[in-house]
């Protein structure tokens, strides 16, 4: 209502440690928990009917899509069953094509509904003087690289990573092109690969540049990358 624009409400199961800190123990099944939670959210946002379900007050707004964070096949299949959008983070485009999209399609077929939109977050940094791409990748992604679920996903995608060595994981991200680094035109080419395999929306993440070099440099990178993307489309 405040923005006047449609909103994607992205939800996910968090990490077992975080969940245990809130509930005393991890979820018995993160997948089942996500399915149940998204179904409740969809009911809250749904139209009025006579089934007695609780609803949010009737409010005029541009629309809300439910999104589920996905890294591995189980949650991708769950997204196909209940979500409007599947949101992935740091997932190589080949892995999306070969692993996540088939799992989503299977879940959607089981539920008799359309396959959700696919949104993926991609780390990027323009190659400029006095920048080290491995350092930028580590700054941006070391917390995720230290997570068991992220390292497992990347190993499934063929990268040599381990949660105990996020520094080596950062090198693997750059060397494999998961962290895009180069000229704006080279980055635009890398981003286009995601669209080629079926990704509907790409979120360009310049967190490494922002953290190491500041806001102005991060905005400059975004402007140059998005300009290159527009030029490549024309």
């Amino acid at each position: 209502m405040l923005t006047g624009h449609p909103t994607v409400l992205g939800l996910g199961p968090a990490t077992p440690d975080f969940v245990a800190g809130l509930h005393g123990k991890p979820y018995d099944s993160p997948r089942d928990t996500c399915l149940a939670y998204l179904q409740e959210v969809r009911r809250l946002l749904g139209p009025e009917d006579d089934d007695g379900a609780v609803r949010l007050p009737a409010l005029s707004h541009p629309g809300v899509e439910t999104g589920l964070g996905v890294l591995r096949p189980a949650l991708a299949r769950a997204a196909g069953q209940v979500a409007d959008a599947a949101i992935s983070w740091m997932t190589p485009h080949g892995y999306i094509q070969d692993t996540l999209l088939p799992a989503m399609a299977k879940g959607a077929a089981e539920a008799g509904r359309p396959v959700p939109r696919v949104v993926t977050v991609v780390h990027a940094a323009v190659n400029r003087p006095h920048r080290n791409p491995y350092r930028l990748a580590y700054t941006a992604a070391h917390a995720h690289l230290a997570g068991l679920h992220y390292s497992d996903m990347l190993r499934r995608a063929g990268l040599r990573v381990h949660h105990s060595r996020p520094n080596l994981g950062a090198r693997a991200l750059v060397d494999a092109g998961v962290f895009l680094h180069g000229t704006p035109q080279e980055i635009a080419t890398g981003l286009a690969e995601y669209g080629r395999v079926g990704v509907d929306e790409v979120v360009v993440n310049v967190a490494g540049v922002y953290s190491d070099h500041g806001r102005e440099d991060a905005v400059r990178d975004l402007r140059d990358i998005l300009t290159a993307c527009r030029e490549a489309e024309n």
Side-chain angles (χ1 to χ4, degrees):
M1 289 179 66
L2 291 174
T3 66
H5 295 283
T7 299
V8 178
L9 175 62
L11 303 165
T15 63
D17 288 347
F18 183 80
V19 174
L22 294 175
H23 297 284
K25 66 182 183 68
Y27 296 130
D28 293 332
S29 169
R31 175 187 176 276
D32 290 349
T33 300
C34 286
L35 280 170
Y37 195 89
L38 262 75
Q39 287 167 345
E40 287 300 321
V41 171
R42 291 178 71 86
R43 268 196 285 271
L44 283 170
L45 295 169
E48 292 287 346
D49 55 30
D50 296 326
D51 65 3
V54 175
R55 295 282 187 272
L56 292 177
L59 299 172
S60 177
H61 59 80
V64 179
E65 290 184 309
T66 55
L68 179 61
V70 301
L71 288 180
R72 293 178 286 187
L75 282 186
R77 183 175 173 184
Q81 293 172 328
V82 298
D84 299 312
I87 306 169
S88 71
W89 185 291
M90 219 162 66
T91 43
H93 56 78
Y95 175 78
I96 295 173
Q97 180 181 39
D98 297 337
T99 302
L100 296 185
L101 285 174
M104 288 172 54
K106 182 175 183 180
E110 290 168 344
R113 60 192 303 273
V115 178
R117 289 191 311 113
V118 181
V119 181
T120 193
V121 180
V122 179
H123 287 292
V126 175
N127 184 5
R128 303 192 194 276
H130 311 298
R131 288 187 181 180
N132 183 320
Y134 297 132
R135 174 181 170 83
L136 292 173
Y138 179 82
T139 299
H142 68 275
H144 295 97
L145 290 166
L148 291 172
H149 50 316
Y150 277 95
S151 60
D152 178 65
M153 175 273 292
L154 290 168
R155 282 195 298 273
R156 292 177 188 227
L159 277 70
R160 295 184 64 183
V161 300
H162 193 275
H163 66 276
S164 67
R165 304 290 297 276
N167 57 323
L168 296 182
R171 297 184 71 88
L173 291 183
V174 176
D175 293 344
V178 180
F179 184 103
L180 292 174
H181 178 261
T183 67
Q185 292 72 27
E186 289 169 338
I187 293 172
T189 298
L191 293 172
E193 286 298 305
Y194 288 86
R196 184 185 62 80
V197 303
V199 172
D200 300 287
E201 180 180 348
V202 173
V203 180
V204 182
N205 186 336
V206 293
V209 175
Y210 184 94
S211 297
D212 279 1
H213 299 279
R215 176 177 173 271
E216 289 186 7
D217 274 25
V219 171
R220 180 186 174 198
D221 272 22
L222 278 176
R223 184 180 293 115
D224 290 352
I225 292 167
L226 297 179
T227 297
C229 289
R230 284 193 294 269
E231 291 172 349
E233 291 173 354
N234 296 329

